[in-house]
Amino acid sequence: MNWWEYLGYDTEDRAYADGVTDTQIQNAKDEVYKQSVETNNTPSSIVGGPKIIGFNDDAGRSELDRNYKPPERKEEVEEVVEESNENETPTKYIIVQGPGGKYIKQEDAAGTYTDSNVQAEIDRLNTQRDATLLANKSSGGGSSSGGGGGVYTPRTSDVDYTPVESTGLSTKEEAKLRFPYLDERLIDVYVQGFIDTGDSQLAILQMRSDPLMETVYPGIRKTDGTLRMTEQEYIVAKEFMELELRNYNLNPQVFGEDIVEAISGDVSPQEFSERLQTGYQNIVQNIPQVQEVYMREFNLDLNEESIFGMFVSPRLSTAVLDNQIRQSQIIAEAETALGSSALTVAAARGLQQQGLSQAQARRGFQGASTILPGLSGGAERFGRGPISETEYVQATELGDQGIAQNIRRVESQITSASSAAAGAKQLRTGEVVGLEES
């Protein structure tokens, strides 16, 4: 046995590495030697001396053993390994347009640019942008004010396009996913711009400078060629104004030009709402007198919505406005009772031409919402086909006898079937008698 094995180590180096003392080493060697002499009655393999009888500290040890000096301990040198920076995540950037339209970097964890390449790309984009603006001004399309040839300079970096790895989608499909609010025609313009320039930001600028922007979003462009708002802001503003008109039972489709006029006049959605509220309050106070004038002078029995509608859009003729207002009332009542898009404009026009009033529409569609589901189910069950909401209103409010007779037959069959099921009973023996519904 070796002294390091006596101390429980596999190798001498392992013992030194663990920091055993000289005293521990010498004591271990003595014990090994003692065990060798007492157990085997032979000299220790370490000493190699003559046969010894008995043992003490010095007498039994050979000169080799007494003069043994342990090897110098190897000092442990703590290896200092500098942490590598390879695992550090570099700062990532995207490139956006800052004040004045110049391209700048912006930190973004999903960006594809780093400190090593972002400035070069910014310089390239700004060079292209300056060249495009110069070309527009040279062609006579720009002005010295900085608006320049209809090129839109965003007030904020509202469109951040971060290049991503290939998804297998076409350029147009990817554009639709990134800009779901854009009109299909503008998507085509954007895609063509991206193909021409290879740059998404330039493609956006090219799309916004295209005359098609005014067709899709009328009133969005100022006289100097810049945009009043972004495409998303335009959609939100237009939908808000349409909703406000619906609150007064007015069909927004009738007032499309008035909404565009408001946007072109830089009327905010909030201001549009306040104007409607103020106008309606002033008109309602004079409704009886105004109604009397129209009845006396034009033989027109106009309701409040019709009169208010003419205040909103004076350009519409009285006759056309009256019909469209009544159609909007019918549509509004249908949507209130049955949900949005419950009635088409064509169906509303048909009901209006048959003389359906707003009160009748309210009563008829509310009845359809509660009664019609059961009726339609029974009609289909008995092979008579479904009954639509419009047919129900025609039968109950406009007196269409053909439809009304069909409804009564369905009701009768439903009642008979229910009575037949109720007539069946079971005897004490368990036998069922009477009619049963199959």
Side-chain angles (χ1 to χ4, degrees), residues 381-382 414 417-418 420-422 424 435-438:
R381 182 179 177 186
F382 299 119
I414 293 175
S418 299
L435 296 177
E436 285 187 288
E437 185 177 18
S438 58

Coordinates of all heavy atoms in Angstrom, one line a residue, residues 381-382 414 417-418 420-422 424 435-438:
R381 N -88.3 21.8 -41.0 CA -88.6 20.4 -40.6 C -89.8 19.8 -41.4 O -89.8 18.6 -41.8 CB -88.9 20.4 -39.1 CG -89.2 19.0 -38.6 CD -89.5 19.1 -37.1 NE -89.9 17.8 -36.5 CZ -90.3 17.7 -35.3 NH1 -90.4 18.7 -34.5 NH2 -90.6 16.5 -34.8
F382 N -90.7 20.6 -41.7 CA -91.9 20.2 -42.5 C -91.7 20.4 -44.0 O -92.7 20.4 -44.7 CB -93.1 20.9 -41.9 CG -93.4 20.6 -40.5 CD1 -93.4 21.6 -39.6 CD2 -93.6 19.3 -40.0 CE1 -93.7 21.3 -38.2 CE2 -93.8 19.0 -38.7 CZ -93.9 20.0 -37.8
I414 N -96.5 23.0 -36.1 CA -95.7 22.9 -34.9 C -96.6 22.6 -33.7 O -96.3 21.8 -32.8 CB -95.0 24.2 -34.6 CG1 -93.9 24.4 -35.7 CG2 -94.3 24.2 -33.3 CD1 -93.2 25.7 -35.7
A417 N -97.8 18.9 -33.9 CA -96.8 18.0 -33.5 C -96.6 18.0 -32.0 O -96.4 16.9 -31.4 CB -95.5 18.4 -34.2
S418 N -96.7 19.1 -31.4 CA -96.5 19.2 -29.9 C -97.6 18.5 -29.2 O -97.4 17.8 -28.2 CB -96.4 20.7 -29.5 OG -95.3 21.3 -30.1
A420 N -99.4 16.0 -30.4 CA -99.3 14.6 -30.6 C -98.4 14.0 -29.6 O -98.6 13.0 -29.0 CB -98.9 14.3 -32.0
A421 N -97.3 14.7 -29.3 CA -96.3 14.2 -28.4 C -96.9 14.2 -27.0 O -96.6 13.3 -26.2 CB -95.0 15.0 -28.4
A422 N -97.6 15.3 -26.7 CA -98.2 15.4 -25.3 C -99.3 14.3 -25.1 O -99.6 13.9 -23.9 CB -98.8 16.8 -25.1
A424 N -99.3 11.1 -25.8 CA -98.9 9.7 -25.5 C -98.7 9.5 -24.0 O -98.4 10.4 -23.2 CB -97.5 9.5 -26.2
L435 N -100.4 8.7 -29.3 CA -99.5 9.1 -30.4 C -98.2 9.5 -29.9 O -98.1 10.1 -28.8 CB -100.1 10.2 -31.2 CG -101.5 9.9 -31.9 CD1 -102.0 11.2 -32.6 CD2 -101.3 8.8 -33.0
E436 N -97.2 9.1 -30.6 CA -95.8 9.6 -30.3 C -95.2 10.3 -31.5 O -95.4 9.9 -32.6 CB -94.9 8.4 -30.0 CG -95.2 7.8 -28.6 CD -94.2 6.7 -28.2 OE1 -94.2 5.7 -28.9 OE2 -93.4 7.0 -27.4
E437 N -94.4 11.3 -31.2 CA -93.7 12.0 -32.3 C -92.5 11.3 -32.7 O -91.7 10.9 -31.8 CB -93.3 13.4 -31.7 CG -92.7 14.3 -32.8 CD -92.4 15.7 -32.3 OE1 -92.3 15.8 -31.1 OE2 -92.2 16.6 -33.1
S438 N -92.4 11.0 -33.9 CA -91.2 10.2 -34.4 C -90.0 11.1 -34.5 O -90.1 12.3 -34.6 CB -91.5 9.6 -35.8 OG -91.8 10.6 -36.7

